[in-house]
Amino acid sequence: MELEDLRRLRRARDVMDRDYAEPLDVPALARVALMSPGHFSRSFRSAFGETPYSYLMTRRIERAKALLRRGDLSVTEVCFAVGCTSLGSFSSRFTELVGESPSAYRARDHRDQGIPACIAKIYTRPVRNGEAGVRGRGLA
């Protein structure tokens, strides 16, 4: 993959990181990357190991986890705050990536246990079922 294509893909990924709560779709992200939607999707997956949609949903679930830990918003409010438009789809995806429902996650005790943020981020990033064995608990 060419350096210019990687730069364009990173630009689209940055848009997802920054504007995760906005309605984003592949055609809009492909325009940011100056690529056709098909080429963008294939290139994104090749460069980052997951589809643009999967990456965006992972970002949204990460943000949702942070909002749910605060405990001052309902699950429905969190769903809409992170850019999801369907509570059912949000709950299903959250449960798939986190391993428990948003309500159960919100109800748990999330007090700081003295783990450095850089390490906590590794272990709290949502993991798809197939990735759990690959990533394991190492730092690799």
Side-chain angles (χ1 to χ4, degrees), residues 7-9 11-13 15-16 23-41 52:
R7 189 168 348 119
R8 291 175 182 169
L9 291 169
R11 190 178 314 135
R13 188 181 63 181
V15 166
M16 286 187 265
L24 298 171
D25 59 13
V26 169
L29 294 166
R31 283 190 297 275
V32 169
L34 304 175
M35 298 177 177
S36 71
H39 181 66
F40 171 73
S41 290

Side-chain angles (χ1 to χ4, degrees), residues 60-69 78 82 90 94:
R60 286 177 172 170
I61 298 303
E62 283 177 343
R63 273 38 172 222
K65 286 176 69 177
L67 292 172
L68 289 167
R69 281 193 299 271
V78 169
V82 299
F90 168 75
F94 189 98

Side-chain angles (χ1 to χ4, degrees), residues 3 28 38 44 46 55 60 77 90 105 107-109 119 121 132:
L3 191 58
F44 191 95
S46 175
Y55 181 86
R60 286 177 172 170
E77 290 169 324
F90 168 75
Y105 184 84
R108 269 198 301 118
D109 183 14
I119 301 300
K121 182 176 179 181

Side-chain angles (χ1 to χ4, degrees), residues 94-112:
F94 189 98
T95 302
E96 175 189 336
L97 295 176
V98 178
E100 62 185 325
S101 72
S103 298
Y105 184 84
R106 184 179 184 269
R108 269 198 301 118
D109 183 14
H110 296 283
R111 285 183 287 204
D112 183 20

